[in-house]
Amino acid sequence: QVHLVESGGGLVQAGGSLRLSCAASGRTFSSYAMGWFRQAPGKEREFVAAISWGGGGSYYADSVKGRFTISRDNAKNEVYLQMNSLKPEDTASYYCAASESTYGNTYDEYDYWGQGTQVTVSS
């Protein structure tokens, strides 16, 4: 089992940047593919980005492609989400998630979840 804790959220103006971090503890971090999801009030949780076990593969939702970058540091047991050119529609709670099997883009492919960190983008 792995325990995930997100940090780095906050309030930022449109066009600004934030870097989210997710610290993992428990089983070997490198054995998990990692993903970021987000959920805005009244909306379903949606996929943002995912990264493979070693970090060599990644992909993104179309809505964030070119603006967000996912990365990981297996030595530090952390995964990151660099968010640039933020828009008001990026406002949401952001969750990191760990998968034992695959780095997919659907909620049910992930086995463990953090508690989330709030990102608010003002216009």
Side-chain angles (χ1 to χ4, degrees):
Q1 189 166 352
V2 64
H3 181 61
L4 303 172
V5 179
E6 302 95 336
S7 62
L11 173 65
V12 64
Q13 289 188 331
S17 298
L18 281 175
R19 187 193 195 209
L20 305 183
S21 298
C22 174
S25 60
R27 284 182 56 189
T28 305
F29 179 66
S30 59
S31 65
Y32 296 95
M34 300 297 296
W36 285 96
F37 288 72
R38 66 186 181 187
Q39 187 168 18
K43 295 188 177 181
E44 293 187 352
R45 193 167 297 191
E46 65 173 358
F47 170 76
V48 175
I51 190 165
S52 63
W53 300 262
S58 61
Y59 68 107
Y60 301 87
D62 287 343
S63 59
V64 306
K65 201 173 295 182
R67 300 188 298 123
F68 291 10
T69 303
I70 189 171
S71 61
R72 67 189 295 163
D73 186 335
N74 286 346
K76 294 183 178 180
N77 289 358
E78 293 187 342
V79 63
Y80 311 101
L81 187 68
Q82 177 67 43
M83 306 185 295
N84 299 328
S85 302
L86 283 161
K87 304 175 181 180
E89 50 264 44
D90 295 318
T91 295
S93 291
Y94 283 71
Y95 300 86
C96 73
S99 171
E100 295 178 328
S101 58
T102 184
Y103 66 116
N105 61 357
T106 60
Y107 179 90
D108 59 4
E109 293 179 280
Y110 289 82
D111 305 290
Y112 305 101
W113 293 83
Q115 293 300 306
T117 186
Q118 178 67 35
V119 172
T120 303
V121 184
S122 63
S123 57

